[in-house]
Amino acid sequence: MAAKRPFVMDERWVCAVKVSCFDCLKLSQCSWCVKENKCFSNELWGNKGLCVCSRVKVAFLFLSVLPWTIMAAKRPFVMDERWVCAVKVSCFDCLKLSQCSWCVKENKCFSNELWGNKGLCVNDTIEFTDFGLSIVENAQCSCQSKENEDNCFSPEVTKGLKCSGRGTCVCGHCVCDTDAANPSKMIMGEYCEYDNFSCDGPKCTEGPYHISQVYENDGSFKVYRDDSLVEKDYSS
């Protein structure tokens, strides 16, 4: 028989050298016999039926007391780049890393991709935002997002849409909308408050024309500063 079925010593035999329950049950293939203070693998043929009652009782007790020991053997702990967030002490350093978020309320950097951080600082978090800038500029813009948004309103506007409703606020600066179907129509200005198409009469020029002014066909205008005008979509 030995010639046909050679003896093979694999990981199941390691159990026999473990002398404590703790060391024994670090290995998923092992069981601990309380009655005999013995570690063994019941997958080996010679151990079938060994310490049946005592083994079952101890396995249940050990799982309830040290669940993480058992899980560690099957799901090893891995420290990756998400754990780096915890050592960052400022919003600026925190948001240089795309995997990190900054909790304003607790002045804390964390990764919400880690299981223990789920639901942390839900309503007071600054997320990493890619503005298409350098790492340093992205971090500065992300941390100053509230101040940056305020910079996208013209001084005379107290409410309404950022960038006059005709652009996108990027890091405190307005990037005005463009119309691919009508490239000759241009929106311009620090707050996208000017264009070259608001006046469409025979005496109108190429502008620029301010959105707070209503232009007649003869090119004349009257000032109209109702805030509702700012909220209107002028890109169409």
Side-chain angles (χ1 to χ4, degrees):
M1 293 288 291
K4 296 181 180 179
R5 302 177 63 181
F7 174 76
V8 177
M9 181 174 284
D10 56 22
E11 70 277 358
R12 297 173 296 178
W13 291 86
V14 177
C15 303
V17 301
K18 303 300 179 181
V19 295
S20 70
C21 180
F22 180 78
D23 289 333
C24 178
L25 295 186
K26 286 180 180 178
L27 304 175
S28 60
Q29 71 270 25
C30 299
S31 300
W32 181 258
C33 179
V34 177
K35 182 172 62 176
E36 300 182 15
N37 283 331
K38 177 180 178 180
C39 187
F40 67 99
S41 172
N42 58 19
E43 297 175 6
L44 291 173
W45 184 85
N47 292 333
K48 298 296 183 182
L50 178 65
C51 198
V52 175
C53 296
S54 187
R55 183 181 74 240
V56 173
K57 182 178 180 181
V58 171
F60 173 78
L61 176 62
F62 199 78
L63 280 170
S64 64
V65 175
L66 291 172
W68 293 107
T69 302
I70 306 302
M71 290 181 66
K74 298 180 179 179
R75 302 174 65 181
F77 173 78
V78 177
M79 181 174 283
D80 56 22
E81 69 277 358
R82 297 172 298 177
W83 292 86
V84 177
C85 303
V87 303
K88 303 300 180 181
V89 295
S90 70
C91 179
F92 177 73
D93 288 333
C94 177
L95 296 186
K96 286 181 181 178
L97 305 175
S98 60
Q99 72 270 23
C100 299
S101 302
W102 180 256
C103 178
V104 177
K105 180 173 60 178
E106 299 183 14
N107 284 329
K108 177 180 179 180
C109 187
F110 68 99
S111 172
N112 55 24
E113 297 175 7
L114 291 174
W115 183 84
N117 291 334
K118 298 297 183 183
L120 178 66
C121 200
V122 175
N123 297 319
D124 202 13
T125 301
I126 301 176
E127 303 289 351
F128 170 88
T129 304
D130 187 359
F131 293 102
L133 306 172
S134 68
I135 293 175
V136 172
E137 290 172 325
N138 264 329
Q140 290 174 334
C141 291
S142 297
C143 291
Q144 298 172 356
S145 56
K146 180 62 174 68
E147 295 86 346
N148 289 337
E149 288 185 4
D150 292 340
N151 290 337
C152 289
F153 290 96
S154 60
E156 65 269 17
V157 175
T158 57
K159 64 178 181 178
L161 302 177
K162 295 186 289 290
C163 301
S164 307
R166 308 198 298 179
T168 304
C169 184
V170 178
C171 197
H173 300 282
C174 289
V175 178
C176 300
D177 295 336
T178 58
D179 187 350
N182 297 285
S184 61
K185 289 187 175 182
M186 298 178 61
I187 299 173
M188 62 203 82
E190 184 178 359
Y191 307 103
C192 304
E193 72 274 35
Y194 291 98
D195 61 47
N196 66 348
F197 53 83
S198 287
C199 182
D200 196 26
K203 295 185 179 181
C204 294
T205 64
E206 294 184 356
Y209 299 105
H210 198 283
I211 61 171
S212 66
Q213 298 167 344
V214 177
Y215 294 88
E216 306 294 343
N217 288 339
D218 61 359
S220 62
F221 66 88
K222 59 182 178 180
V223 176
Y224 184 63
R225 295 187 180 277
D226 190 321
D227 286 336
S228 63
L229 190 65
V230 179
E231 296 182 24
K232 185 178 178 181
D233 183 6
Y234 288 88
S235 59
S236 58

